[in-house]
Amino acid sequence: EKAERFTNPNSSSYVKAVFGCWTSASRKAVLPVFERHNHMLFYPVQYEGQECSRNVFYTGAAPNQQIEPAVDWLLRYKGTQFFLVGSDYVFPRTANEIIREQLKALGGTVVGERYLPLGESANGTVGDIIDDIRRQLPDGGVIFNTLNGDSNVKFFHMFHDAGFRADTHPT
C-alpha cells in the first residue's frame, strides 16, 4: 500500500525515488509496484542475485561477489565440512542453495542446515542449533552464518558460551 502511494505520481505521498526494503521478501513484494509505475527503488543491502529489474538499483553484494569467494577461501584454509545456519527467508535459503552447489562442485560437504524464524532469539530454539552443530562437527568445521538481527546476536553469545572458538569452528 505504501509502495503504491510513494510511486504513483497522482498521490500526495509521491517521491522521486525510494531508498528502502531490508529483506529480499520485502523487495520482492514491492517490485511489481515499482515496475508498474516505472519508479526507482534503491535497495541498500546484500541480496541473493537471480533477479534483475530496470527499476531497482541493487547496491549490495550478490553471492558471486561475497559468498562464493568466502566459501572458496574457507574450503582452502579452514575445512571441508560445513554447517549452514540462517534466518528463514529468501536470502539465507537462496544463499545456502548456492553454497550447497558450490561445495558439491569443489569437494566440500554440508553436514547440517538449520533455519530460525527472522528475529527468533529464544534460548531453547537457538540452543537446539548449537547442540546440532556440536553433534555434527564435534572435531571442528566451518559454520556459514546467514542469520540476521536478534537471532544473530543470540547465536554468537550462545556459540561462545558453548565453548566454540574460531580456530576449530570458524563462523
Side-chain angles (χ1 to χ4, degrees), residues 123-135 137-140 143 153-169 171:
N123 284 347
T125 310
V126 178
D128 287 347
I129 292 176
I130 299 297
D131 292 343
D132 201 13
I133 291 170
R134 186 180 309 285
R135 278 191 300 278
L137 296 171
D139 300 318
I143 292 87
V153 173
K154 179 58 89 173
F155 174 81
F156 276 109
H157 283 293
M158 292 187 80
F159 189 77
H160 182 268
D161 291 348
F164 290 113
R165 299 296 179 264
D167 59 332
T168 57
H169 294 84
T171 306

Short mmCIF file of all heavy atoms in Angstrom, two decimals, residues 123-135 137-140 143 153-169 171:
data_model
loop_
_atom_site.label_atom_id
_atom_site.label_comp_id
_atom_site.label_asym_id
_atom_site.label_seq_id
_atom_site.Cartn_x
_atom_site.Cartn_y
_atom_site.Cartn_z
N ASN A 123 16.27 -18.91 23.91
CA ASN A 123 17.40 -19.78 24.27
C ASN A 123 17.22 -21.20 23.75
O ASN A 123 18.16 -21.78 23.21
CB ASN A 123 17.57 -19.81 25.78
CG ASN A 123 18.21 -18.55 26.32
OD1 ASN A 123 18.74 -17.74 25.57
ND2 ASN A 123 18.13 -18.38 27.62
N GLY A 124 16.03 -21.76 23.93
CA GLY A 124 15.79 -23.14 23.52
C GLY A 124 15.95 -23.35 22.03
O GLY A 124 16.56 -24.32 21.59
N THR A 125 15.41 -22.45 21.25
CA THR A 125 15.46 -22.58 19.79
C THR A 125 16.89 -22.44 19.28
O THR A 125 17.37 -23.26 18.50
CB THR A 125 14.56 -21.53 19.12
OG1 THR A 125 13.28 -21.57 19.73
CG2 THR A 125 14.43 -21.78 17.65
N VAL A 126 17.57 -21.39 19.72
CA VAL A 126 18.96 -21.18 19.30
C VAL A 126 19.85 -22.28 19.88
O VAL A 126 20.74 -22.80 19.20
CB VAL A 126 19.45 -19.78 19.69
CG1 VAL A 126 20.92 -19.58 19.31
CG2 VAL A 126 18.59 -18.70 19.05
N GLY A 127 19.58 -22.66 21.12
CA GLY A 127 20.36 -23.72 21.77
C GLY A 127 20.27 -25.04 21.03
O GLY A 127 21.26 -25.80 20.98
N ASP A 128 19.12 -25.35 20.46
CA ASP A 128 18.97 -26.58 19.66
C ASP A 128 19.94 -26.58 18.48
O ASP A 128 20.51 -27.61 18.13
CB ASP A 128 17.54 -26.73 19.15
CG ASP A 128 16.55 -27.10 20.24
OD1 ASP A 128 16.98 -27.48 21.35
OD2 ASP A 128 15.33 -26.99 19.98
N ILE A 129 20.11 -25.42 17.88
CA ILE A 129 21.04 -25.33 16.74
C ILE A 129 22.48 -25.49 17.22
O ILE A 129 23.28 -26.20 16.59
CB ILE A 129 20.83 -24.02 15.96
CG1 ILE A 129 19.47 -24.07 15.26
CG2 ILE A 129 21.97 -23.77 14.97
CD1 ILE A 129 19.08 -22.80 14.55
N ILE A 130 22.82 -24.87 18.34
CA ILE A 130 24.17 -25.01 18.91
C ILE A 130 24.44 -26.49 19.20
O ILE A 130 25.52 -27.02 18.87
CB ILE A 130 24.31 -24.15 20.19
CG1 ILE A 130 24.11 -22.66 19.88
CG2 ILE A 130 25.64 -24.43 20.88
CD1 ILE A 130 25.12 -22.04 18.96
N ASP A 131 23.46 -27.17 19.78
CA ASP A 131 23.62 -28.61 20.07
C ASP A 131 23.80 -29.41 18.79
O ASP A 131 24.60 -30.35 18.74
CB ASP A 131 22.40 -29.14 20.84
CG ASP A 131 22.31 -28.59 22.25
OD1 ASP A 131 23.31 -28.06 22.77
OD2 ASP A 131 21.20 -28.68 22.82
N ASP A 132 23.06 -29.06 17.75
CA ASP A 132 23.16 -29.76 16.47
C ASP A 132 24.55 -29.55 15.86
O ASP A 132 25.15 -30.49 15.33
CB ASP A 132 22.07 -29.27 15.52
CG ASP A 132 21.76 -30.24 14.40
OD1 ASP A 132 22.20 -31.41 14.47
OD2 ASP A 132 21.07 -29.83 13.45
N ILE A 133 25.08 -28.34 15.96
CA ILE A 133 26.44 -28.08 15.46
C ILE A 133 27.45 -28.94 16.21
O ILE A 133 28.34 -29.56 15.61
CB ILE A 133 26.78 -26.58 15.57
CG1 ILE A 133 25.94 -25.76 14.59
CG2 ILE A 133 28.28 -26.34 15.33
CD1 ILE A 133 26.02 -24.26 14.78
N ARG A 134 27.31 -29.02 17.53
CA ARG A 134 28.23 -29.84 18.33
C ARG A 134 28.17 -31.31 17.91
O ARG A 134 29.19 -31.99 17.81
CB ARG A 134 27.89 -29.70 19.81
CG ARG A 134 28.91 -30.43 20.71
CD ARG A 134 28.62 -30.32 22.18
NE ARG A 134 28.40 -28.99 22.68
CZ ARG A 134 29.35 -28.05 22.88
NH1 ARG A 134 30.59 -28.32 22.57
NH2 ARG A 134 29.03 -26.87 23.35
N ARG A 135 26.96 -31.81 17.64
CA ARG A 135 26.80 -33.21 17.20
C ARG A 135 27.41 -33.43 15.81
O ARG A 135 28.05 -34.45 15.56
CB ARG A 135 25.33 -33.60 17.16
CG ARG A 135 24.75 -34.01 18.50
CD ARG A 135 23.37 -34.64 18.36
NE ARG A 135 22.38 -33.76 17.75
CZ ARG A 135 21.70 -32.81 18.39
NH1 ARG A 135 21.90 -32.62 19.68
NH2 ARG A 135 20.82 -32.06 17.77
N LEU A 137 29.64 -31.47 14.10
CA LEU A 137 31.04 -31.06 13.92
C LEU A 137 31.80 -31.16 15.25
O LEU A 137 32.36 -30.17 15.74
CB LEU A 137 31.11 -29.61 13.40
CG LEU A 137 30.51 -29.34 12.02
CD1 LEU A 137 30.46 -27.85 11.73
CD2 LEU A 137 31.31 -30.07 10.94
N PRO A 138 31.86 -32.34 15.85
CA PRO A 138 32.49 -32.46 17.17
C PRO A 138 33.98 -32.10 17.17
O PRO A 138 34.50 -31.63 18.18
CB PRO A 138 32.26 -33.92 17.55
CG PRO A 138 32.10 -34.63 16.25
CD PRO A 138 31.43 -33.64 15.34
N ASP A 139 34.65 -32.32 16.05
CA ASP A 139 36.09 -32.05 15.98
C ASP A 139 36.41 -30.77 15.20
O ASP A 139 37.56 -30.52 14.87
CB ASP A 139 36.81 -33.24 15.34
CG ASP A 139 36.60 -34.50 16.14
OD1 ASP A 139 36.66 -34.43 17.39
OD2 ASP A 139 36.35 -35.56 15.52
N GLY A 140 35.39 -30.01 14.88
CA GLY A 140 35.61 -28.76 14.16
C GLY A 140 35.04 -28.81 12.76
O GLY A 140 34.74 -29.86 12.21
N ILE A 143 31.17 -23.07 10.10
CA ILE A 143 29.77 -22.68 10.26
C ILE A 143 29.55 -21.48 9.36
O ILE A 143 30.20 -20.44 9.54
CB ILE A 143 29.40 -22.34 11.72
CG1 ILE A 143 29.46 -23.59 12.61
CG2 ILE A 143 27.99 -21.78 11.79
CD1 ILE A 143 30.79 -23.86 13.16
N VAL A 153 22.68 -12.15 17.12
CA VAL A 153 23.28 -11.76 18.40
C VAL A 153 23.19 -12.93 19.38
O VAL A 153 24.18 -13.32 20.00
CB VAL A 153 22.59 -10.50 18.97
CG1 VAL A 153 23.10 -10.20 20.37
CG2 VAL A 153 22.80 -9.31 18.04
N LYS A 154 22.00 -13.52 19.52
CA LYS A 154 21.80 -14.65 20.43
C LYS A 154 22.67 -15.82 20.03
O LYS A 154 23.29 -16.50 20.86
CB LYS A 154 20.32 -15.05 20.47
CG LYS A 154 20.03 -16.23 21.36
CD LYS A 154 20.46 -16.01 22.80
CE LYS A 154 19.35 -15.39 23.59
NZ LYS A 154 19.68 -15.30 25.02
N PHE A 155 22.74 -16.10 18.72
CA PHE A 155 23.55 -17.22 18.23
C PHE A 155 25.01 -17.05 18.65
O PHE A 155 25.61 -17.99 19.20
CB PHE A 155 23.45 -17.32 16.70
CG PHE A 155 24.37 -18.36 16.12
CD1 PHE A 155 24.00 -19.70 16.12
CD2 PHE A 155 25.58 -18.00 15.57
CE1 PHE A 155 24.85 -20.67 15.59
CE2 PHE A 155 26.44 -18.96 15.04
CZ PHE A 155 26.07 -20.29 15.05
N PHE A 156 25.59 -15.89 18.44
CA PHE A 156 27.00 -15.71 18.77
C PHE A 156 27.26 -15.77 20.27
O PHE A 156 28.29 -16.31 20.71
CB PHE A 156 27.56 -14.43 18.15
CG PHE A 156 27.99 -14.63 16.73
CD1 PHE A 156 27.28 -14.08 15.69
CD2 PHE A 156 29.11 -15.40 16.43
CE1 PHE A 156 27.67 -14.28 14.37
CE2 PHE A 156 29.51 -15.61 15.12
CZ PHE A 156 28.79 -15.04 14.09
N HIS A 157 26.35 -15.25 21.08
CA HIS A 157 26.50 -15.37 22.53
C HIS A 157 26.49 -16.83 22.96
O HIS A 157 27.36 -17.28 23.72
CB HIS A 157 25.40 -14.59 23.27
CG HIS A 157 25.62 -13.13 23.31
ND1 HIS A 157 26.65 -12.54 24.01
CD2 HIS A 157 24.94 -12.11 22.73
CE1 HIS A 157 26.61 -11.24 23.87
NE2 HIS A 157 25.58 -10.95 23.09
N MET A 158 25.52 -17.58 22.47
CA MET A 158 25.40 -18.98 22.85
C MET A 158 26.52 -19.83 22.24
O MET A 158 27.00 -20.78 22.88
CB MET A 158 24.02 -19.53 22.46
CG MET A 158 22.91 -18.90 23.28
SD MET A 158 21.30 -19.64 23.00
CE MET A 158 21.46 -21.10 24.05
N PHE A 159 26.95 -19.49 21.06
CA PHE A 159 28.06 -20.17 20.39
C PHE A 159 29.32 -20.05 21.25
O PHE A 159 30.00 -21.04 21.55
CB PHE A 159 28.25 -19.53 19.02
CG PHE A 159 29.21 -20.22 18.10
CD1 PHE A 159 28.83 -21.37 17.44
CD2 PHE A 159 30.47 -19.70 17.88
CE1 PHE A 159 29.71 -22.00 16.57
CE2 PHE A 159 31.35 -20.33 17.02
CZ PHE A 159 30.96 -21.48 16.36
N HIS A 160 29.61 -18.84 21.68
CA HIS A 160 30.77 -18.60 22.53
C HIS A 160 30.62 -19.29 23.88
O HIS A 160 31.55 -19.95 24.38
CB HIS A 160 30.98 -17.09 22.72
CG HIS A 160 32.18 -16.77 23.54
ND1 HIS A 160 32.12 -16.61 24.89
CD2 HIS A 160 33.47 -16.58 23.18
CE1 HIS A 160 33.33 -16.34 25.36
NE2 HIS A 160 34.17 -16.33 24.33
N ASP A 161 29.45 -19.15 24.50
CA ASP A 161 29.21 -19.77 25.81
C ASP A 161 29.33 -21.29 25.76
O ASP A 161 29.67 -21.93 26.76
CB ASP A 161 27.83 -19.39 26.35
CG ASP A 161 27.74 -17.91 26.73
OD1 ASP A 161 28.79 -17.23 26.79
OD2 ASP A 161 26.60 -17.44 26.92
N ALA A 162 29.07 -21.88 24.59
CA ALA A 162 29.18 -23.34 24.43
C ALA A 162 30.62 -23.78 24.23
O ALA A 162 30.89 -24.98 24.13
CB ALA A 162 28.32 -23.79 23.25
N GLY A 163 31.54 -22.83 24.17
CA GLY A 163 32.95 -23.17 24.06
C GLY A 163 33.49 -23.23 22.64
O GLY A 163 34.65 -23.56 22.42
N PHE A 164 32.68 -22.89 21.66
CA PHE A 164 33.17 -22.87 20.29
C PHE A 164 34.12 -21.69 20.09
O PHE A 164 33.87 -20.60 20.60
CB PHE A 164 32.01 -22.75 19.29
CG PHE A 164 31.14 -23.97 19.21
CD1 PHE A 164 29.83 -23.95 19.65
CD2 PHE A 164 31.65 -25.16 18.68
CE1 PHE A 164 29.02 -25.07 19.57
CE2 PHE A 164 30.85 -26.29 18.59
CZ PHE A 164 29.54 -26.24 19.04
N ARG A 165 35.18 -21.92 19.32
CA ARG A 165 36.15 -20.87 19.05
C ARG A 165 36.51 -20.89 17.56
O ARG A 165 36.37 -21.91 16.89
CB ARG A 165 37.41 -21.05 19.89
CG ARG A 165 37.17 -20.99 21.40
CD ARG A 165 36.66 -19.60 21.82
NE ARG A 165 36.42 -19.52 23.25
CZ ARG A 165 35.23 -19.68 23.83
NH1 ARG A 165 34.16 -19.95 23.11
NH2 ARG A 165 35.10 -19.56 25.13
N ALA A 166 37.01 -19.78 17.10
CA ALA A 166 37.30 -19.60 15.67
C ALA A 166 38.36 -20.56 15.15
O ALA A 166 38.34 -20.92 13.97
CB ALA A 166 37.73 -18.16 15.40
N ASP A 167 39.27 -21.01 15.99
CA ASP A 167 40.32 -21.90 15.49
C ASP A 167 39.77 -23.28 15.11
O ASP A 167 40.32 -23.94 14.22
CB ASP A 167 41.47 -22.03 16.50
CG ASP A 167 41.04 -22.58 17.85
OD1 ASP A 167 39.87 -22.37 18.24
OD2 ASP A 167 41.87 -23.21 18.52
N THR A 168 38.69 -23.72 15.75
CA THR A 168 38.13 -25.04 15.40
C THR A 168 36.79 -24.95 14.67
O THR A 168 36.45 -25.85 13.91
CB THR A 168 37.90 -25.89 16.66
OG1 THR A 168 37.04 -25.19 17.55
CG2 THR A 168 39.23 -26.23 17.33
N HIS A 169 36.05 -23.87 14.90
CA HIS A 169 34.74 -23.70 14.29
C HIS A 169 34.60 -22.29 13.72
O HIS A 169 33.82 -21.47 14.23
CB HIS A 169 33.62 -23.96 15.32
CG HIS A 169 33.56 -25.36 15.79
ND1 HIS A 169 34.35 -25.86 16.81
CD2 HIS A 169 32.82 -26.42 15.35
CE1 HIS A 169 34.07 -27.13 17.00
NE2 HIS A 169 33.15 -27.50 16.13
N THR A 171 33.37 -19.15 11.89
CA THR A 171 31.99 -18.78 11.56
C THR A 171 31.97 -17.53 10.71
O THR A 171 32.57 -16.55 11.06
CB THR A 171 31.18 -18.55 12.85
OG1 THR A 171 31.30 -19.71 13.65
CG2 THR A 171 29.73 -18.30 12.54
#
